[in-house]
Amino acid sequence: MRYQELIGKMTLEEKASLLSGKDFWQTVDIKRLGIPSMTLSDGPHGIRRQAGESDHLGLNASVPATCFPTAATVANSWNPGLGEELGSYLGEEAVSQGVNVLLGPGLNIKRSPLCGRNFEYFSEDPYLAGKMAAGYVKGIQSKGVAACPKHFAANSQELRRMSNDSVLDERTFREIYTTGFEIAVKEGKSKSIMTSYNRINGVYANENEHLLQEILVDEWGFDGFVVSDWGGSNSHTDGVKAGSHLEMPTTGKDGMRELMAAVKEGTLSEELLDRRVDELLSVIFDTQKAVEGKTGKGFDIEKHHGMAERAAEECVVLLKNEDNILPLKQGTKVAVIGDFADKPRYQGAGSSIVNSTKLDSPLDVWKTEEWVEFAGYEQGFIRNGKMSEELERKAAELAKRADVVLLYLGLDELAETEGMDREHMKIAYNQIDLLAAVQKANSNIVVVMSAGAPVEMPWLNLVKGMVHGYLAGQAGAGAVANVLTGKVCPSGRLSETYPVSYEDTPIYHCWPGKEKTSEYREGLFVGYRYYETADIPVLFPFGYGLSYTSFAYSDIQADENEVHVTIQNTGSVDGAEVVQIYISKPNGKIFRPAKELKGFQKVYLKAGESKTVTIPLDDKAFRYYNVITNKWEVEGGSYRIMAGPNVAEVSLSTEVSIEGTEARLPYKKEELSSYYTGQVAEVGDEEFEDLLGGPIPDGRWDRNKGLDINDALCQMRYAKSGLARLILRILEHLKNKSMAKGEPDLNILFIYNIPFRGIAKMTGGMVSMDMARAMAEVVNGHFFKGMGHLIKGFFANRK
């Protein structure tokens, strides 16, 4: 151990105290031994260090910081180098604010387009997500502070996120839901990692030895520290045993007392406790060197704003360009319509929200843009969905006076927020009504979309052009304008599939799952893996994006280590193409998706220029996880290597022969026919059990058994106590009231989904675990017994 001598000077109380927070964002300091406090801060796309009273959901003001494009946006660049550069800016701002650990990036797989937090995540594909995350981690840590990839692992929904159990087979878990983290750890060398709230096959992530020890440490060689998501620690002792280090935020001294008792009772060895303390101290002292003496020195606000704009430019996706309406010709008279043009949607809601140093609005940009003639602006719609015929009428009148209408549409703040999932994939009806009214007045419409996740577009035929800026950060307005005017040739490519409708998704029938569980019946077939295998038409395929120039592919060559492809810019404009490499195993004995991304490279070419690019194939190219041998194996035989601009256009291909590991086959084709064909939208119980290798857990609440401390408050509808059911009705009333206003109350959403033990973990020690158990007793109808235990727990905790 690095700090064995120092740890030898600590009391048991001091060692145990280090593994719980000092307050909401800081670790415990021990002044007599020279151990400093370490500050952690949200920051997937900007630092959110709160200046005054701290809270998890960003309701209280934070120190101004640059709001960079969200992860869902930057993933559309398909450029890990951009992620690394952006990460270095994040690291610099972290140092300036005295932040040792930046809680990001988020790289959970976008299993469903409805997950409310998808704007914080990179992709539906683990390879792309992992490569982008590794770039961020390298950039952040280049400044001496630690990155903290999250949420590890199989976190796919916001509903009941702190009590939900993700039920999935081991192969899917390893190939889809942990591979991105593997890349972030192995290639990015992340110094920390954050566990997710949910259970994984019955065991909470933060106390899951298989996840934290066998996979993270033994297999990947992780040597940093593991932190719980805020309030995500269940049994602190079990977490420490499994490989978790730090529970956040502070639980007063409840967590410390729990560890001390476990050591004294012999259920936790002091030797293991010492090792966890040593691993945490390594990051505390290493990162302290970076922030010491540099806190408060600030950063170049204009330079960082410029970086935010440059990053956003590379991420804008051109989705439609009928009649080459774009780029806008010089002197074009443009009408700017839509509430998002005046008040832009540029980030999501929740713990990632950034107090921007400045904010560019599209309306201000167009008023001063000299390339075009500004014809005027109209709001057009009310962003919370309320109808206004007057706003529509004014917008249509303005449209008549313009050559081209720039119509700013998208999802509002209520649609994309931590703590709540979307209910559908549509944009508000009043926006579609506005589009129809404007189209009657002027058919030359370019939609500028702002959203962190896919939406259905049955109205796409009404527009001639569409650019998608996603949630582009504080400088996104100028970036999108630069693409529209042709100053920047669009090079963004979608990092997720846009299905025609939500009903076409593979998880339509099984997401977000039963009350206690979420069953991953689709297995490996997430996103494009499903659509390509099951031959389901989509609106826009994974990897799709148009350009103002054109590219030609030729001369593909490949072996087991790399692929060579020649790419030529055949147009008249300098631009960039994302060369994507997919692999398939026709007629394999192991079921697989029809295509899987295994390599990519962004290539910049001048008009007429040609390059031969070399894209490496790493150890993940041909492997699969074998649930019989419990390790990675390779099926031998012929593989097809495909190259193209998106998953649906990979006409250029070649074959390579790969030597296999000759492992025992884990499946019987006749038992898993849906998985061999990819038709997984409605997998039955028997077949899913064959995939799981055991019975499906019962995900229903049993009113007779009552609720326990790991059940969420929203499940008090099953409570035997009338008072508890009344409290739930009040909570639901407050939640619905905030929705009606179009302003989600994040505290209410958090409380609605929190389990009883979360109350103990999130109240700074005011409530102990014993008190949380007493609350569950009251809810289960044992009022006097529960209140007695609650009062006893209160005084014991106070003492």
Side-chain angles (χ1 to χ4, degrees):
M1 296 194 303
R2 283 179 69 182
Y3 297 98
Q4 188 166 4
E5 183 178 347
L6 180 62
I7 293 170
K9 298 175 182 178
M10 292 184 191
T11 65
L12 176 59
E13 181 176 341
E14 286 171 333
K15 286 186 280 191
S17 70
L18 272 177
L19 302 187
S20 293
K22 173 184 175 181
D23 55 26
F24 218 89
W25 297 109
Q26 296 184 91
T27 62
V28 169
D29 57 317
I30 304 177
K31 290 184 171 60
R32 76 177 187 89
L33 296 175
I35 298 174
S37 177
M38 177 174 70
T39 298
L40 302 92
S41 174
D42 283 316
H45 57 270
I47 315 301
R48 194 180 71 86
R49 177 160 189 181
Q50 289 174 292
E53 187 177 350
S54 298
D55 72 280
H56 181 47
L57 298 172
L59 302 181
N60 295 324
S62 57
V63 177
T66 309
C67 181
F68 293 100
T70 68
T73 311
V74 179
N76 291 335
S77 74
W78 289 64
N79 185 355
L82 176 66
E84 184 170 351
E85 186 178 6
L86 197 153
S88 71
Y89 278 72
L90 287 168
E92 182 183 340
E93 294 195 25
V95 169
S96 76
Q97 293 193 24
V99 171
N100 303 67
V101 181
L102 199 57
L103 302 175
L107 64 152
N108 291 106
I109 295 300
K110 299 181 181 184
R111 180 178 175 233
S112 168
L114 299 187
C115 176
R117 213 167 176 179
N118 274 356
F119 63 86
E120 279 191 62
Y121 304 144
F122 288 114
S123 179
E124 66 189 31
D125 181 81
Y127 187 83
L128 176 57
K131 291 292 184 180
M132 294 302 302
Y136 269 69
V137 171
K138 290 176 186 176
I140 292 167
Q141 297 189 167
S142 70
K143 301 302 180 181
V145 295
C148 187
K150 61 183 187 181
H151 309 89
F152 190 51
N155 176 68
S156 304
Q157 65 185 58
E158 289 298 286
L159 180 65
R160 298 186 297 272
R161 60 181 178 169
M162 296 179 78
S163 59
N164 180 65
D165 185 7
S166 296
V167 178
L168 71 171
D169 67 288
E170 185 68 9
R171 183 182 173 198
T172 297
F173 183 55
R174 300 305 307 277
E175 292 188 24
I176 303 296
Y177 295 98
T178 64
T179 291
F181 288 97
E182 177 184 0
I183 296 170
V185 168
K186 285 185 174 180
E187 298 181 18
K189 307 295 183 186
S190 176
K191 295 178 182 177
S192 64
I193 199 163
M194 181 194 286
T195 52
S196 53
Y197 283 127
N198 53 283
R199 291 179 174 105
I200 301 166
N201 292 325
V203 181
Y204 276 102
N206 197 61
E207 53 195 55
N208 194 311
E209 186 175 1
H210 176 54
L211 179 69
L212 301 183
Q213 184 63 47
E214 295 172 3
I215 296 175
L216 181 62
V217 175
D218 297 344
E219 186 177 329
W220 299 349
F222 177 73
D223 60 358
F225 79 92
V226 175
V227 60
S228 72
D229 202 341
W230 266 234
S233 171
N234 177 39
S235 164
H236 193 24
T237 300
D238 288 346
V240 170
K241 284 182 185 177
S244 181
H245 299 77
L246 178 64
E247 70 167 4
M248 291 295 289
T250 181
T251 56
K253 294 192 175 182
D254 204 37
M256 179 197 74
R257 290 194 297 262
E258 181 187 335
L259 294 182
M260 290 177 66
V263 171
K264 290 174 182 177
E265 293 165 4
T267 56
L268 173 66
S269 74
E270 192 163 359
E271 180 185 0
L272 179 57
L273 179 66
D274 289 352
R275 195 161 79 239
R276 296 286 180 260
V277 170
D278 183 76
E279 290 160 349
L280 179 61
L281 285 175
S282 293
V283 180
I284 290 176
F285 282 117
D286 286 350
T287 58
Q288 190 64 20
K289 296 172 186 175
V291 300
E292 212 162 30
K294 298 177 183 175
T295 302
K297 292 191 175 180
F299 57 91
D300 189 329
I301 291 175
E302 291 302 324
K303 179 182 177 183
H304 284 229
H305 186 76
M307 177 64 208
E309 181 170 346
R310 185 157 54 85
E313 287 174 349
E314 197 172 330
C315 305
V316 176
V317 186
L318 178 61
L319 292 175
K320 186 174 182 179
N321 197 16
E322 184 181 320
D323 298 334
N324 289 322
I325 194 170
L326 296 174
L328 296 170
K329 296 175 178 60
Q330 187 170 12
T332 300
K333 185 183 292 185
V334 298
V336 178
I337 296 174
D339 193 37
F340 297 128
D342 184 26
K343 299 173 184 176
R345 271 291 324 282
Y346 64 101
Q347 62 177 327
S351 62
S352 69
I353 199 162
V354 178
N355 180 14
S356 306
T357 55
K358 57 188 300 187
L359 177 62
D360 296 341
S361 89
L363 180 56
D364 290 341
V365 168
W366 289 115
K367 283 179 177 179
T368 58
E369 175 57 59
E370 296 180 354
W371 184 259
V372 297
E373 181 182 343
F374 178 67
Y377 163 75
E378 288 294 343
Q379 180 181 345
F381 63 87
I382 301 169
R383 68 202 295 138
N384 67 2
K386 291 182 179 178
M387 303 301 295
S388 173
E389 293 183 3
E390 179 64 12
L391 291 180
E392 282 185 18
R393 185 190 63 77
K394 288 182 177 179
E397 286 298 316
L398 174 61
K400 293 176 182 178
R401 305 196 298 270
D403 299 322
V404 173
V405 175
L406 301 179
L407 185 57
Y408 282 74
L409 304 179
L411 297 175
D412 65 15
E413 289 77 4
L414 188 61
E416 297 183 283
T417 176
E418 177 180 356
M420 182 177 70
D421 299 309
R422 294 160 66 197
E423 295 181 354
H424 52 73
M425 280 182 58
K426 300 174 174 63
I427 62 173
Y429 287 113
N430 65 342
Q431 295 184 42
I432 299 173
D433 289 345
L434 170 67
L435 168 60
V438 169
Q439 200 268 346
K440 290 178 182 178
N442 188 335
S443 62
N444 291 324
I445 298 174
V446 174
V447 165
V448 180
M449 181 66 66
S450 297
V455 298
E456 294 171 1
M457 300 182 187
W459 39 263
L460 189 62
N461 63 311
L462 297 179
V463 309
K464 288 189 176 180
M466 174 179 285
V467 294
H468 202 331
Y470 265 66
L471 301 180
Q474 66 182 52
V480 170
N482 289 340
V483 169
L484 291 170
T485 55
K487 296 171 187 174
V488 171
C489 182
S491 63
R493 304 292 183 263
L494 293 177
S495 62
E496 56 190 325
T497 307
Y498 275 55
V500 175
S501 69
Y502 178 58
E503 288 77 8
D504 291 335
T505 64
I507 43 73
Y508 174 66
H509 294 287
C510 62
W511 190 92
K514 296 177 182 176
E515 292 175 316
K516 282 191 174 184
T517 61
S518 184
E519 297 171 0
Y520 289 50
R521 295 192 179 220
E522 74 282 359
L524 301 174
F525 298 93
V526 178
Y528 74 86
R529 286 171 164 79
Y530 169 68
Y531 303 113
E532 287 292 314
T533 309
D535 197 24
I536 306 295
V538 300
L539 182 64
F540 298 116
F542 177 77
Y544 180 82
L546 302 175
S547 173
Y548 293 152
T549 189
S550 55
F551 301 93
Y553 289 70
S554 63
D555 302 328
I556 186 171
Q557 298 178 32
D559 58 30
E560 63 182 12
N561 298 312
E562 57 190 21
V563 182
H564 307 275
V565 181
T566 299
I567 180 82
Q568 183 180 11
N569 183 341
T570 55
S572 58
V573 177
D574 299 347
E577 172 71 319
V578 177
V579 180
Q580 301 167 36
I581 303 298
Y582 296 88
I583 290 180
S584 72
K585 179 75 173 69
N587 304 314
K589 295 179 181 179
I590 307 296
F591 70 80
R592 298 172 183 268
K595 298 168 186 171
E596 293 184 278
L597 180 73
K598 297 298 181 181
F600 61 91
Q601 185 174 322
K602 196 160 197 174
V603 186
Y604 295 85
L605 297 168
K606 294 187 178 299
E609 184 181 6
S610 178
K611 282 183 184 177
T612 297
V613 298
T614 299
I615 300 175
L617 297 175
D618 59 20
D619 62 330
K620 298 162 193 66
F622 304 103
R623 73 181 190 179
Y624 73 95
Y625 194 82
N626 189 304
V627 295
I628 299 294
T629 65
N630 290 319
K631 62 180 183 179
W632 296 102
E633 305 284 3
V634 175
E635 182 181 359
S638 179
Y639 286 76
R640 181 174 297 142
I641 312 296
M642 299 164 282
N646 62 70
V647 70
E649 298 180 61
V650 285
S651 56
L652 194 64
S653 66
T654 187
E655 304 281 329
V656 297
S657 182
I658 301 297
E659 185 178 344
T661 54
E662 306 303 328
R664 178 183 167 189
L665 295 178
Y667 305 119
K668 294 180 181 178
K669 189 172 184 179
E670 62 273 14
E671 294 178 350
L672 297 170
S673 59
S674 297
Y675 297 99
Y676 275 88
T677 61
Q679 302 292 336
V680 297
E682 296 186 65
V683 172
D685 288 355
E686 183 177 351
E687 190 172 6
F688 186 46
E689 288 184 337
D690 287 334
L691 183 71
L692 287 176
I696 302 168
D698 187 351
R700 297 168 298 180
W701 262 273
D702 187 339
R703 188 187 297 269
N704 294 321
K705 290 182 179 179
L707 304 178
D708 63 36
I709 62 169
N710 289 317
D711 288 327
L713 268 61
C714 62
Q715 295 307 321
M716 287 195 298
R717 61 177 56 90
Y718 297 106
K720 293 181 179 179
S721 165
L723 176 62
R725 295 195 298 272
L726 174 61
I727 291 171
L728 177 61
R729 286 197 293 272
I730 293 170
L731 267 177
E732 289 177 335
H733 171 72
L734 293 172
K735 179 170 73 77
N736 294 335
K737 186 178 179 181
S738 73
M739 300 299 178
K741 289 181 180 178
E743 301 172 359
D745 188 319
L746 301 179
N747 268 333
I748 293 296
L749 290 174
F750 191 81
I751 293 168
Y752 185 74
N753 286 297
I754 199 171
F756 291 96
R757 53 99 180 163
I759 300 171
K761 298 295 184 180
M762 291 294 288
T763 51
M766 291 175 60
V767 177
S768 68
M769 288 292 281
D770 286 339
M771 293 168 68
R773 293 186 186 95
M775 291 178 187
E777 283 186 293
V778 172
V779 166
N780 286 324
H782 307 292
F783 180 81
F784 293 106
K785 181 181 177 182
M787 287 303 296
H789 288 155
L790 185 63
I791 293 168
K792 182 179 178 181
F794 170 78
F795 285 107
N797 190 53
R798 187 178 181 186
K799 181 179 178 181

